């Protein structure tokens, strides 16, 4: 019976040794994996620093560009306002010319008869003058 106990103890010791060996190999593999993960994270951290610097520079350029676009937009608004003022002036000028033209047309229509009569009298006066000149020559 004691031999069975010794055999059982020996089997337990061998099993424990095998367990320790496999556990040691697993822990060694885990340590290598963790070292690789740490190295990878260091590389990612360095890359992130570079990306952060580039992003900051890009953000600064974008802000400058936005300010420049804003300034140019304000200048363009001033130009558009000036062109609008010129357009308004031209429109007022056209209305003034239209008003004068309508006034002249109305005046001509109102005085058509008077003008025709004046033309007739003018023609009569010219004819009389020509006749008087002819008579003077004879």
């Amino acid at each position: 019976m004691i031999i069975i106990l010794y055999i059982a103890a020996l089997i337990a010791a061998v099993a424990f040794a095998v367990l320790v060996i496999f556990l040691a190999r697993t822990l060694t593999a885990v340590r290598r994996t963790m070292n690789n993960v740490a190295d990878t994270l260091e590389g990612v951290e360095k890359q992130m620093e570079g990306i952060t610097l580039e992003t900051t520079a890009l953000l600064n350029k974008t802000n400058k560009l936005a300010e420049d676009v804003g300034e140019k937009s304000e200048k363009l608004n001033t130009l558009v306002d000036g062109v609008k003022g010129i357009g308004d002036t031209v429109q007022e000028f056209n209305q003034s010319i239209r008003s004068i033209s309508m006034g002249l047309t109305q005046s001509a229509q109102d005085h058509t008869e008077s003008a025709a009569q004046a033309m007739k009298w003018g023609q009569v006066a010219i004819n009389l003058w020509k006749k008087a000149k002819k008579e003077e020559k004879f």
Side-chain angles (χ1 to χ4, degrees), residues 1-8:
M1 190 70 146
I2 293 185
I3 294 179
I4 294 177
L5 275 175
Y6 286 128
I7 292 175

Side-chain angles (χ1 to χ4, degrees), residues 33-74:
T33 302
M34 292 306 237
N35 285 338
N36 288 339
V37 168
D39 292 341
T40 302
L41 286 177
E42 285 178 17
V44 168
E45 184 179 346
K46 288 178 183 176
Q47 289 176 353
M48 288 302 293
E49 286 176 8
I51 290 172
T52 302
L53 292 174
E54 289 177 17
T55 304
T56 303
L58 181 62
L59 185 60
N60 288 335
K61 288 179 182 178
T62 303
N63 288 338
K64 288 178 184 176
L65 182 62
E67 288 175 13
D68 188 42
V69 166
E71 290 173 6
K72 289 180 179 172
S73 175
E74 288 179 21

Side-chain angles (χ1 to χ4, degrees), residues 74-132:
E74 288 179 21
K75 290 178 182 177
L76 185 61
N77 285 342
T78 304
L79 178 66
V80 168
D81 290 342
V83 169
K84 183 181 180 294
I86 291 171
D88 291 343
T89 303
V90 168
Q91 185 177 8
E92 289 172 7
F93 181 69
N94 284 341
Q95 287 175 347
S96 297
I97 290 176
R98 192 174 296 124
S99 172
I100 291 170
S101 174
M102 291 175 85
L104 288 174
T105 302
Q106 185 65 35
S107 177
Q109 288 175 354
D110 290 346
H111 297 95
T112 301
E113 192 173 315
S114 300
Q117 192 173 16
M119 292 276 290
K120 286 179 188 177
W121 283 108
Q123 190 65 34
V124 168
I126 290 172
N127 287 339
L128 287 174
W129 183 69
K130 284 181 183 179
K131 197 175 195 183

Side-chain angles (χ1 to χ4, degrees), residues 13-32:
V14 169
F16 185 74
V18 168
L19 178 69
V20 168
I21 290 171
F22 280 109
L23 189 60
R25 289 177 62 190
T26 303
L27 289 176
T28 303
V30 167
R31 183 182 54 174
R32 271 185 278 148

